[in-house]
Every structure is written in C-alpha cells, then in structure tokens.
Amino acid sequence: MSTTSSSNGLLPTSMSGRHDDVEAGGSARTQDEHHEQLEHDPDDPFDLDNTKNASAQSLRRWRQAALVLNASRRFRYTLDLNKEEHYENRRRMIRAHAQVIRAALLFKLAGEQQTSAVGSSSSSTPSPSTGNFDIDLEKLVAMTRNQNVSTLQQYGGVKGVAEKLKTNMEQGIEEDEKEVTDRKNAFGSNTYPKKKGKSFYMFLWEAWQDLTLIILIIAAVTSLALGIKTEGLKEGWLDGGSIAFAVLLVIIVTAVSDYRQSLQFQNLNDEKRNIQLEVMRGGRTVKISIYDVVVGDVIPLRIGDQVPADGVLTSGHSLAIDESSMTGESKIVHKDQKSPFLMSGCKVADGVGNMLVTGVGINTEWGLLMASISEDTGEETLCRYVRLNGLATFIGIVGLTVALVVLVALLVRYFTGTTQDSSGATQFVKGKTSISDIVDDCVKIFTIAVTIVVVAVPEGLPLAVTLTLAYSMRKMMADKALVRRLSACETMGSATTICSDKTGTLTLNQMTVVETYAGGSKMDVADNPSGLHPKLVALISEGVAQNTTGNVFHPKDGGEVEISGSPTEKAILSWAYKLGMKFDTIRSESAIIHAFPFNSEKKRGGVAVLRGDSEVFIHWKGAAEIVLACCTQYMDSNGTLQPIDTQKEFFRLAIDAMAKNSLRCVAIACRTQELNKVPKEQEDLDKWSLPEDELTLLAIVGIKDPCRPGVREAVRICTSAGVKVRMVTGDNLQTAKAIALECGILASDTEAVEPTIIEGKVFRELSEKEREQVAKSITVMGRSSPNDKLLLVQALRKNGDVVAVTGDGTNDAPALHEADIGLSMGISGTEVAKESSDIIILDDNFASVVKVVRWGRSVYANIQKFIQFQLTVNVAALIINVVAAMSSGDVPLKAVQLLWVNLIMDTLGALALATEPPTDHLMHRTPVGRREPLITNIMWRNLLVQSFYQVAVLLVLNFAGLNILGLSQDSNHAHAVEVKNTMIFNAFVMCQIFNEFNARKPDEMNVFSGVSKNPLFVAIVGVTFVLQILIVTFLGEFAHTVALSWQLWLASIVIGLVSWPLAVVGKLIPVPRTPMSVYFKKPFRKYRASRSA
C-alpha cells in the first residue's frame, strides 16, 4: 500500500486509492521505497495486517511471544480462542438434555426467588400457571422442542393451538398491558437468567496476579519481619509497610479502573442484545423489544430477521430458515405446513411468513443456551493492540535487562564495601555486619530492582487501549453508533474509502409518491383517481394490497389510518389508499396462493392471487425499467388493454425524467393465469416459478426520498480528510447520479461518465484485473446487486484501500463481513446484516458514519498520546536509577516513590489521556496507513527531548544537588541527602504532571487548546498534584520523603514548567521521513536473512 507521512508528522498518511498520490506524497519512487520499508514481516508475530478474519494460529502466536506479567488482565478483552468450541459443546449438550437442564434451571430460579422472599411481607413468586388458557405450558414446550407434528394435529393444528392460546391469527393478541402480563405469568417472559458478571473482588484478585507485585509483596513482608526484629515495631515497620501499602494501593486503583471498564462493556453488550422487532397486536403492527415477546404473539418474519422465540408457522411463502446456530448444520431448512416449527435464535434466509409464538425464554433451547454460557466480552483483537504488545514486550525485555544490571551492580558494590548509608557509614564490613542486616540490605536492593521492572515493563500500555475504547464506545452511543467489535474503532480511523448505500443513509428514507403514470399518460395529481377507469383502479389496488409486506390499520375509534412496512411499501400503500384501495376488503375477498418475495438480485417481487374459485391473477411490482421490459401491453384510462410497443419509448423517457429528478421509479403490472396451469399440490406449488412474461403495465410511480440535511457537509468533511465516498445503490443509474450530485459525491455533470459512474452489471462482467483497475475510479454504482458490492469491496481492498461499507439487507452480509469495517443500519437493517457488521449506525444517517471516522482517528491519536507520555517516564526513570546505582550504589527514586510514579503513569495517565474527546483537527489529516508505526518520528522527537531534559536535570541534582540546593553545609548529612532525594522525586513528578499537557497535542504548538472540554483530564492533573503535596509533606518516612520549603517547591514546579517551552522548541526540530522503526528492524532482518541463507 502506498503510504506517506502527513505534513504535521504525527499521523502518517495512507493515500492508496486516491488520485493525487504523487502531489500528496512526492515522487512515486519515494512511495515505493516507503512501501518496502513498511512491508509485512512474516517472522514478526506482532506484525498483523488485519485481525478481523485472522487465523487462530496467528492470534495464538503473538500471545505466546508477548512478555506478560498479568495474563488475566492483558488478555481480558481479546478474543477467547476456545469460545467456539465451548459454545458448540454447550449447544450439543442442551439439544440432548434440554428437559433436564430446564428443570434444573427452574429449580435454581425457584430457590433464588424463595430466598429473596424470606423476611419480606410479599409472598414468593408463584410458579407459572396456565390461567385462563386451554393448553398446559409443559405440553406446549414439549411439542415445540420435539417438533411433534402429530401432537400439533391433536390440538387441531396451528389454528387449534391459536384458539387454546386465545390468539386471533390475523390480528394477534389484544394490545393490552393486562393481557401481556397474564401471558407472562402463565408461560414466562422472553428473558433468561444471565450469568452474573465478575464482582469487584474478582477484579481485585486479577490485579493481584501481577508477578512483579507478588514479588514486591513478598519482599515487603520479608523487610517488615526483619525491620521489626532489628528496630522494633515503632520504627521497623516503615520500609516493608510502606511498600506493602503502595502495592495494595496500585492493586485497588487498578481493580477500580478495570471494574468500571467491565461495566461499560456489559452495558454495551446488553444494548446489542436488545433487538427491536414488529408484532401484530390488536390488528396493528407495533414495534417492541425482543424481551417483551409473549406466548400467543403473532410475528411477521422477513428475510434477515432473527426468530425471536419458539413457535409455529401460521402462513408463509418460500420461507427458508438458517438453523445452523442451533443445529450446527449449515443448511437451509424450508418451512411449510408439513414442517411448521421454528426455533428461537435462527435466521430467516429467504421468503416471508407469520409465526405464532409457543415458547419463550428458558422454555426454548436458545434461552437455555444463553443462560448457560458466560458473558461474551471477548472481542476481535486490535491490530494496534497486538503491535502494542510487541512494543511492550520489547520495552519489558530492556527493562528486565536494566533491572538485572542494577541488581548485580548494587550487590557487587554492597559486598565490596563501597556503598554507604545515609549517615556516611559503610554498609557492609566483612565479619562485622550481622546476617539479619545483610538480608535486610539485600532485600532492599532486590526491591529496588523489582520496582524498576514495575516501572519499566509497560503493562498498562496495551490496557490503555481498552480504556480509550471503553470511553469511545460509550461516547459513540451518544453519536448514534453502537460498536459490536472493538477492532472496528481503530480500523475506522484508517478508512480510505466509504461505500455507502443511498436509501436511508444519504437520504431521509421518508418516501412519498409525487409522480404517477397510469392509463397511458401522466396523472395531473399523483393520487387522484378521477381520470382512471374503476377497473384499472381495482387492479392497482389489488396488486398493492396483496403484493406487500406492509399493513393498513383502521383504528376502532375512527382515528387516522396507520400504515406500516418498509418506507417504499408505506409510500405505495399510502398512494393506493388515496386512490381508494380497501385494504382489508381486498385481502378478505382474494387469497395469495404463492409468492415470490422481493429479491435484490431480480429487483422485483410478485404474488399469485386466487379470486373466488376460478380466477388467478399474477401481480408484479419492482424496478420500473425491469418490469417494463416484461410488459407486452398496458391498460389505458378507459380500462382497455392496448399493445405497449408504440408507448414503450414514452414510458422509458418518463422513467428517465423521473430518475433525473432523484425519484425512485417503481412499476406495477399484472397478468392472468389459467387455473389449470397452476400446480394443485402444495409441494409442486412451492417449486412453481411465477410467470413474469406478457405482463400488463398498470402504473409507474415516482417516489421522492429527499437527501438528509447535513449530508453534503459530511461528504465534504470526508473528502477533505482523504476519505473517498462512493455510492453503491440498487436504484436506476440516473436516480443515483442525481442524488450523488445533490449530496456532493459527484462534483459536476462532467464527472458523470463511465467508469466514474457505472452499472453493477457492467462492473461484474469485467475480469478480476479489470475490476481492480476500474474500482479506483468508481464513485457511483447504480443498479448494483449485493454481489456487485462484494466484488467492489474485494477489488478496493486488493488495491490497498481500507474499506468501510454500509449495508442493511441480508444479502449485504458478505460485503459487510469482507470489508475492513462493516456498518449496518439500526433502523432499516436486518438482524443478519447487523450480526455481520462491526458497527451499527443507530439513526441510519451518513453524518453518523463520519462521526465514527472521527472517533476512530481519536482512538488512534489517544493511544499515541499515552505511548509518548509513558515512554518518556520509562526512559527517564530507567536512566536516572541505572546511572545512580552504577555510580553511587544507591538510587534516588525509592520503591514506594516508583510505585506512585507507576500509578501516575499507568492508571491516572491512561485515564487522563485516553479520554480526550475528538477534535476537528483530526479530520484535517489523511488516513493512517495499516503498516504505519505506532511511534512516529514526531513522537520519538518529543519523548527524547523531554526524557533527555528530565534525565539531565535530575542527574545534576543527584550528583551536585547538595551544593546547588545549599545543603552541603548542613550538619545533619543524612537529612541533607533526604532533602536532595525528595527534591529529585518531587521534580520528577512535576515533570510528568506538566508533560501530560505536552502529550495532549504531540503535533500542535498550543497544548492547552480544548483542555476545558475535558474536565476529567483537569481533575486527574489536579488530584495528582494534591496527592503529591500530601505524600511529600505528610508521609515522611513512609514514602522516604521530608517536607520541602516553599523555595524548593517553587524550584520543583519551575523544573516541570520548563517542559512547556521546551516542547515548543522541540517541535521546531525537523524529523526524517523514514520511520525510526525501519532502522531498528533492519539489523534484525539482515541477521535473520543471513541465518536462513
């Protein structure tokens, strides 16, 4: 992939798939060299291009290679590689022993209810009873679970079961709160007992598992025992007690942070499971939560829906169910009156139908499965999380090496008698120093070395990623985006192109019929029937009323008519209703004997309707030019059939004219069918293909769907941010072009030439190589099928683009899965599309997609801010302690002090920097390439400038501090050394506090811009400063500090304050174009190449 650094240097540029590569990034040759430098290294376990569909082997490989001190924390939010196997085992067990498991679960729940009711005035919850219903719960559950057709027939078939459940199969149950409550009491609710999440104490236990903290506790206990033995309880507890307290503080703060993150992820998981669906209640289609479904509900099923409960099919056409989630067999099962049982948790693969709910909650196999598996918090692992683990491992190895060197150096100096205590006396004298003193001193030396490991190994580095993701995901919910997979957050920041649907995403999805051609001419008023023959109106009304998945509801109180269905269906139903359509009458006077549900490949749908006992009409509705091509005649305004040949060109021009005005064109047509040519047997009828030739054109309607307000600005923001927006729609190419011009996706009419604007059919007929070439230029694809969208995504990804795709239909699932980021629609999207996606756009708005891009870039930027801040602390602390240990045999930063610095760095620092809100500045940059290093040259420059400054100042204080601070004349040498060391500690912490501001804006001069918009950052900095004052002033021997004078406090603050102007000066230093990581990796690659040669 062609990549180049951005002008600001912080976030490198990914320019692949754009037309202005050379202008943006210099010569092509330079880009090729850059590509080679950042190419994939197959020998590096942490070098993953994409983890969305990564193999289990590659995921295991990086985990095994990582240096981890606390595995339970480090891998908590990564994918559980054994989850699928565990799920499959549970599913098989439940299928085999569902009755026993259900009985055990009911017994457990009854016990819990009885326990909770003890001591309360209210009686315990009664066991479910069938109340006023004529069928027993257990028999109903057994019939559905065993899919026993003979038992169903004994009850009188589906109709008999409905009568026993007091359900009207046409209108559903009554829309009454008491009715719903009675059914919940009798048959249970559609919920299942969730396994309790981890308690706070479990997070405390996990935080305790850190190897270095365990070693420190052991050292602290040893030091405590020796101290009390030699110095007595009053003085002897200080060294060991202070370390133990500091470790406990680190554990508690870590556990609190992890627990809060866990609650946020838990809330998001609950949101993901709360599916909204339509049910029939009182003849009206109402939208409810899946948890509110009750036994007796009548639920319409369409392609892509999830079956929300167990039930039986009441009516349907070509209904096919994917039962793989329950049976494990990846085959589609067709449902009809011979096989009417439906299982909760399965997906509708094809067709339409209505189901009667017979089992909910734990009375279904799906409910038992959900109740028995643990909460799923494992997610797709992030590429940068993997690379962060690689970085943490490298730094950890360096830290361990340094700690080992310090340990050896201090032990050698100690046993050679060259180290002195604070009073100036030699610590070890051969033959004179007691064993207990030697052990005590060695424990202190060992504690210092271990503490260096605590600070050096950036265990908090990968965990800061989950912190920023938890924060971002919560905030993205407010911006109408529900994140289903963590990896999508960071990948969205790298997106170079967005392939967007038109309807509902770029447009409002509020459709109305504004133009009509019927009777051979254009109607003056789109919905005025006065100029049409009653026969034509009757055929149009029948075709619209029967060939629909929508509904028309007339309230009993005579209120306004309620029309439900998809936006297109609602628009056409409203239009037909105004023409005089009697929806309920038509549906009662004729019956659908076969249906071909609307298909996104064929762009049309049809039904066969039986009138009385002798007459069959075939009604078709779909894309105007496709239906028109099947027509051989039309009905004129007198109700007479006329040959269409002479008028076909007129209708084509009418379609083009409407399309150019951004109208969606739908044609309605029909034909008669001889009854003896219609299959008699149900099995033959199910296989019958509806005739689609020799149709009679009844009407063509133009449906207006206005562009969303703000979509043009959103497209402009994407373009300026280096993200190309492409429209992929099933609509007519002229309609697509008009909307693209209106939205700003096409700049002008002159751009609207092939291949910039192309039909799906043309694109799919190209060879693979040709598609890859053409894909770069495509801006609008019209009349595209879901497979065309998939081909486009594959071609763009092969060109190196990071592709985001929006989709709402079941057939969009392959493209959503294939794309780097799949974005499904929350309102119009099917459950299949949502499950295949990474992020759900809750308001179906393109502007929300742009906000997701903004948040994705913010996640990456916040991770980089934290890396820069933490590595500065790592480098400074390591160098100071190593140099001091090697030269004087003592370290200025003690164990307790380093643990406090670790707390500032790992938890508080991550909290402050990971929660920075996104800024407009992020959208003024080009996307970050997949292979760009985590630490850019700008970051290297910033952290090295700050680290060298801190090291220089603190080492000067360490070696010349007594003279500089005027302490050399102090009669109490031990006190003077303590003041000097406290000053070093205080100045070091002040440097970190002030450097946190620098880390906020690694590539901007003004590090204070927007600080007031992040009160959490200000609060954390304030709390850190106050705690530092308390530690230095009041903790004394506990923290190895002494109270400092106001002059020394002022000096400490000034030392920290210098980091601000220093950062400004540092940002003036130019940085090389080639990433530093390339220079680091070259020797290793050459070594490996020579070994393999």
Side-chain angles (χ1 to χ4, degrees):
M1 181 174 72
S2 304
T3 50
T4 177
S5 295
S6 61
S7 58
N8 55 45
L10 172 70
L11 291 171
T13 307
S14 168
M15 301 299 297
S16 57
R18 298 181 64 198
H19 302 299
D20 54 350
D21 282 9
V22 176
E23 288 95 324
S27 68
R29 189 182 67 83
T30 311
Q31 289 192 20
D32 290 340
E33 287 172 1
H34 192 58
H35 171 73
E36 288 172 13
Q37 291 161 352
L38 297 174
E39 65 184 359
H40 175 64
D41 183 1
D43 295 318
D44 185 354
F46 300 105
D47 193 358
L48 293 183
D49 265 335
N50 190 0
T51 60
K52 182 172 176 179
N53 300 312
S55 66
Q57 183 183 357
S58 61
L59 295 178
R60 279 198 179 90
R61 188 171 166 231
W62 79 258
R63 292 187 196 192
Q64 291 165 354
L67 174 68
V68 181
L69 300 176
N70 189 342
S72 58
R73 276 195 81 213
R74 180 75 73 88
F75 301 131
R76 182 185 295 134
Y77 296 113
T78 55
L79 189 67
D80 181 1
L81 298 177
N82 299 316
K83 182 179 70 176
E84 286 300 319
E85 186 180 348
H86 171 69
Y87 179 90
E88 181 64 19
N89 291 337
R90 293 298 304 176
R91 186 189 58 74
R92 284 178 182 167
M93 189 174 78
I94 284 168
R95 296 230 79 197
H97 309 289
Q99 196 168 351
V100 177
I101 293 169
R102 178 172 169 267
L105 197 54
L106 286 170
F107 182 77
K108 180 186 174 186
L109 288 172
E112 288 176 357
Q113 288 170 353
Q114 194 171 9
T115 304
S116 64
V118 172
S120 66
S121 57
S122 61
S123 60
S124 61
T125 307
S127 59
S129 105
T130 50
N132 299 321
F133 303 101
D134 301 329
I135 190 166
D136 181 67
L137 169 64
E138 295 303 324
K139 290 178 181 176
L140 194 61
V141 170
M143 177 191 74
T144 310
R145 185 177 62 243
N146 299 326
Q147 301 196 1
N148 195 324
V149 178
S150 62
T151 304
L152 179 65
Q153 296 306 322
Q154 287 172 20
Y155 287 133
V158 176
K159 191 176 180 182
V161 172
E163 287 174 358
K164 290 178 186 297
L165 291 172
K166 294 183 168 39
T167 295
N168 183 316
M169 286 171 60
E170 297 298 322
Q171 299 193 341
I173 65 172
E174 286 301 314
E175 194 177 0
D176 177 61
E177 191 64 39
K178 184 179 182 301
E179 173 84 5
V180 173
T181 304
D182 288 346
R183 289 176 183 272
K184 283 185 178 179
N185 290 336
F187 302 106
S189 64
N190 200 27
T191 56
Y192 50 86
K194 295 178 187 174
K195 283 204 167 184
K196 289 181 180 177
K198 288 180 182 176
S199 67
F200 175 67
Y201 300 106
M202 283 301 296
F203 284 95
L204 273 176
W205 175 251
E206 285 187 0
W208 166 264
Q209 302 304 303
D210 193 303
L211 182 61
T212 50
L213 296 182
I214 292 171
I215 294 170
L216 281 176
I217 284 288
I218 294 169
V221 169
T222 308
S223 178
L224 193 65
L226 290 169
I228 293 171
K229 181 184 176 185
T230 54
E231 300 176 36
L233 182 61
K234 189 175 180 180
E235 298 290 333
W237 73 274
L238 285 170
D239 280 347
S242 60
I243 294 171
F245 177 79
V247 169
L248 289 174
L249 183 64
V250 169
I251 289 171
I252 290 168
V253 171
T254 301
V256 168
S257 174
D258 289 350
Y259 182 59
R260 283 174 58 82
Q261 283 181 54
S262 171
L263 291 178
Q264 288 180 6
F265 284 126
Q266 198 172 313
N267 291 337
L268 287 166
N269 278 333
D270 290 342
E271 193 70 34
K272 281 189 267 186
R273 292 194 178 94
N274 188 14
I275 297 168
Q276 299 295 308
L277 52 90
E278 290 182 343
V279 300
M280 291 295 294
R281 287 188 178 172
R284 172 190 284 150
T285 303
V286 294
K287 207 154 199 174
I288 63 170
S289 164
I290 191 172
Y291 301 130
D292 294 329
V293 170
V294 293
V295 169
D297 263 327
V298 174
I299 300 177
L301 297 175
R302 301 184 187 93
I303 297 175
D305 287 350
Q306 176 174 313
V307 180
D310 281 1
V312 288
L313 183 68
T314 61
S315 63
H317 300 284
S318 309
L319 188 67
I321 305 292
D322 178 3
E323 295 185 345
S324 59
S325 59
M326 289 308 300
T327 63
E329 298 172 13
S330 56
K331 67 177 183 179
I332 304 301
V333 181
H334 292 272
K335 296 293 176 180
D336 51 31
Q337 298 309 315
K338 292 180 181 177
S339 175
F341 291 100
L342 300 162
M343 283 193 293
S344 177
C346 300
K347 304 291 188 301
V348 180
D350 198 8
V352 292
N354 287 331
M355 71 174 283
L356 173 69
V357 175
T358 58
V360 293
I362 60 167
N363 298 323
T364 69
E365 287 185 16
W366 178 258
L368 292 177
L369 181 61
M370 290 296 100
S372 65
I373 60 175
S374 59
E375 190 77 16
D376 177 23
T377 52
E379 295 283 352
E380 299 276 356
T381 311
L382 284 76
C383 278
R384 292 187 179 100
Y385 186 90
V386 175
R387 285 158 63 193
L388 269 175
N389 274 278
L391 179 64
T393 298
F394 174 75
I395 296 169
I397 290 169
V398 172
L400 281 170
T401 306
V402 169
L404 189 63
V405 169
V406 169
L407 179 65
V408 171
L410 290 178
L411 286 174
V412 168
R413 289 185 64 88
Y414 177 79
F415 285 110
T416 53
T418 53
T419 55
Q420 298 175 334
D421 58 24
S422 55
S423 59
T426 303
Q427 284 185 297
F428 175 78
V429 179
K430 192 175 180 181
K432 293 185 179 180
T433 308
S434 65
I435 296 295
S436 62
D437 284 344
I438 293 171
V439 172
D440 191 28
D441 290 338
C442 287
V443 167
K444 287 177 182 176
I445 290 170
F446 184 71
T447 302
I448 289 167
V450 173
T451 310
I452 288 174
V453 175
V454 173
V455 176
V457 177
E459 193 73 7
L461 203 54
L463 298 170
V465 178
T466 58
L467 187 63
T468 190
L469 286 173
Y471 167 77
S472 300
M473 285 167 73
R474 183 164 52 86
K475 291 292 186 182
M476 283 166 78
M477 276 291 288
D479 281 342
K480 305 299 181 186
L482 172 61
V483 179
R484 295 189 72 255
R485 293 189 177 92
L486 289 177
S487 56
C489 281
E490 62 142 13
T491 313
M492 199 66 192
S494 299
T496 58
T497 186
I498 299 172
C499 297
S500 174
D501 285 341
K502 176 186 77 70
T503 307
T505 308
L506 297 169
T507 61
L508 282 169
N509 220 5
Q510 295 172 1
M511 301 191 186
T512 49
V513 174
V514 294
E515 279 190 44
T516 302
Y517 286 79
S521 61
K522 182 178 179 180
M523 292 172 61
D524 295 331
V525 179
D527 50 16
N528 184 358
S530 59
L532 301 178
H533 194 276
K535 185 180 177 182
L536 177 57
V537 174
L539 281 171
I540 290 172
S541 297
E542 184 180 72
V544 171
Q546 292 288 21
N547 190 15
T548 183
T549 54
N551 186 47
V552 178
F553 175 72
H554 295 268
K556 293 175 183 176
D557 58 6
E560 195 175 332
V561 169
E562 295 176 17
I563 296 174
S564 59
S566 70
T568 306
E569 295 282 12
K570 283 165 71 176
I572 295 173
L573 283 168
S574 298
W575 167 75
Y577 177 75
K578 289 172 184 174
L579 287 179
M581 176 187 69
K582 307 294 183 188
F583 186 81
D584 292 332
T585 305
I586 291 169
R587 290 180 78 110
S588 62
E589 290 177 349
S590 57
I592 298 172
I593 57 174
H594 189 54
F596 178 83
F598 180 84
N599 185 296
S600 55
E601 293 285 345
K602 287 199 169 186
K603 307 288 182 193
R604 58 191 181 275
V607 292
V609 177
L610 178 65
R611 290 183 182 175
D613 295 325
S614 58
E615 208 172 10
V616 175
F617 267 79
I618 312 292
H619 288 281
W620 284 97
K621 180 178 71 183
E625 70 270 27
I626 294 175
V627 173
L628 179 64
C630 301
C631 294
T632 56
Q633 51 190 359
Y634 73 97
M635 184 172 284
D636 65 17
S637 56
N638 298 317
T640 308
L641 297 181
Q642 302 288 350
I644 204 169
D645 296 340
T646 56
Q647 287 289 87
K648 214 158 199 175
E649 188 59 29
F650 167 75
F651 288 125
R652 283 201 191 100
L653 291 172
I655 292 168
D656 278 347
M658 287 192 285
K660 285 175 182 175
N661 289 326
S662 308
L663 302 186
R664 168 178 278 189
C665 303
V666 176
I668 299 165
C670 71
R671 61 164 285 169
T672 56
Q673 181 74 5
E674 294 173 21
L675 189 60
N676 59 5
K677 291 185 179 180
V678 178
K680 299 289 186 293
E681 297 298 323
Q682 186 63 45
E683 195 172 328
D684 295 330
L685 194 60
D686 289 340
K687 295 175 183 176
W688 182 44
S689 295
L690 288 180
E692 51 187 338
D693 57 342
E694 298 182 1
L695 301 183
T696 299
L697 181 67
L698 301 177
I700 299 173
V701 295
I703 302 173
K704 181 69 176 173
D705 185 13
C707 272
R708 284 184 179 274
V711 76
R712 191 177 184 90
E713 175 62 13
V715 170
R716 187 198 63 76
I717 290 170
C718 277
T719 306
S720 65
V723 182
K724 184 176 178 63
V725 180
R726 306 169 199 266
M727 181 200 291
V728 184
T729 177
D731 273 355
N732 180 302
L733 202 58
Q734 294 297 328
T735 307
K737 173 188 165 184
I739 292 288
L741 286 166
E742 199 176 334
C743 294
I745 293 172
L746 285 174
S748 64
D749 259 327
T750 54
E751 279 189 16
V753 292
E754 200 172 298
T756 304
I757 175 169
I758 194 171
E759 272 204 354
K761 182 183 177 183
V762 175
F763 181 70
R764 87 176 75 108
E765 288 173 352
L766 298 172
S767 68
E768 189 176 338
K769 285 289 180 189
E770 287 172 331
R771 281 200 298 269
E772 285 175 30
Q773 285 301 313
V774 170
K776 297 175 185 177
S777 306
I778 291 174
T779 302
V780 176
M781 185 185 286
R783 281 288 174 246
S784 71
S785 68
N787 191 54
D788 297 332
K789 186 187 281 190
L790 176 62
L791 291 172
L792 177 62
V793 170
Q794 289 171 338
L796 289 170
R797 292 192 73 214
K798 282 178 182 174
N799 287 333
D801 274 298
V802 178
V803 185
V805 168
T806 69
D808 54 12
T810 302
N811 293 334
D812 286 329
L816 291 168
H817 186 264
E818 177 71 20
D820 295 284
I821 316 103
L823 303 157
S824 63
M825 300 296 108
I827 299 171
S828 61
T830 63
E831 286 308 312
V832 171
K834 289 175 186 176
E835 287 208 355
S836 297
S837 67
D838 306 299
I839 297 172
I840 300 172
I841 304 301
L842 299 174
D843 62 354
D844 291 15
N845 193 342
F846 184 78
S848 298
V849 176
V850 179
K851 288 176 184 175
V852 171
V853 175
R854 204 161 169 259
W855 275 108
R857 294 189 176 195
S858 176
V859 166
Y860 184 71
N862 287 352
I863 291 169
Q864 287 190 310
K865 292 170 188 177
F866 181 69
I867 290 172
Q868 180 180 305
F869 173 67
Q870 187 169 48
L871 292 189
T872 304
V873 183
N874 285 137
V875 171
L878 278 177
I879 294 175
I880 291 162
N881 270 9
V882 169
V883 173
M886 299 291 280
S887 57
S888 63
D890 194 15
V891 287
L893 298 173
K894 307 299 181 187
V896 175
Q897 296 168 358
L898 283 175
L899 286 170
W900 166 235
V901 169
N902 188 63
L903 199 62
I904 295 173
M905 179 178 69
D906 265 6
T907 307
L908 298 178
L911 202 58
L913 294 169
T915 55
E916 278 283 311
T919 61
D920 292 337
H921 180 68
L922 293 168
M923 297 304 283
H924 297 156
R925 304 167 175 170
T926 44
V928 183
R930 292 180 201 266
R931 310 238 30 87
E932 296 299 337
L934 278 167
I935 310 178
T936 65
N937 289 355
I938 287 287
M939 292 167 67
W940 277 117
R941 180 194 64 195
N942 293 346
L943 76 87
L944 288 174
V945 165
Q946 295 294 333
S947 296
F948 287 154
Y949 165 68
Q950 291 178 21
V951 167
V953 170
L954 299 183
L955 284 181
V956 167
L957 283 176
N958 186 58
F959 293 112
L962 293 177
N963 293 322
I964 293 171
L965 301 174
L967 299 171
S968 54
Q969 306 303 318
D970 196 326
S971 56
N972 188 342
H973 181 72
H975 178 263
V977 170
E978 285 177 349
V979 170
K980 180 200 75 172
N981 286 344
T982 302
M983 180 65 185
I984 292 171
F985 167 57
N986 203 38
F988 185 60
V989 171
M990 289 300 121
C991 283
Q992 309 324 317
I993 290 174
F994 286 97
N995 195 39
E996 267 186 281
F997 286 88
N998 292 330
R1000 285 186 68 246
K1001 305 288 180 183
D1003 60 336
E1004 293 180 50
M1005 292 296 184
N1006 183 7
V1007 297
F1008 305 106
S1009 65
V1011 73
S1012 59
K1013 293 179 182 176
N1014 189 0
L1016 185 60
F1017 177 88
V1018 177
I1020 287 171
V1021 169
V1023 167
T1024 307
F1025 187 75
V1026 170
L1027 288 174
Q1028 180 65 13
I1029 293 171
L1030 295 175
I1031 288 169
V1032 170
T1033 307
F1034 300 109
L1035 292 190
E1037 291 185 15
F1038 185 85
H1040 297 282
T1041 60
V1042 292
L1044 297 177
S1045 64
W1046 70 266
Q1047 292 94 338
L1048 292 181
W1049 267 105
L1050 184 62
S1052 300
I1053 292 170
V1054 168
I1055 289 170
L1057 196 62
V1058 170
S1059 67
W1060 285 351
L1062 188 68
V1064 173
V1065 173
K1067 285 167 187 173
L1068 299 174
I1069 301 171
V1071 294
R1073 174 182 160 77
T1074 305
M1076 296 287 285
S1077 58
V1078 172
Y1079 298 117
F1080 291 147
K1081 286 180 179 179
K1082 269 183 181 177
F1084 294 103
R1085 287 188 178 180
K1086 284 180 180 176
Y1087 174 72
R1088 280 202 296 263
S1090 63
R1091 294 260 305 186
S1092 58

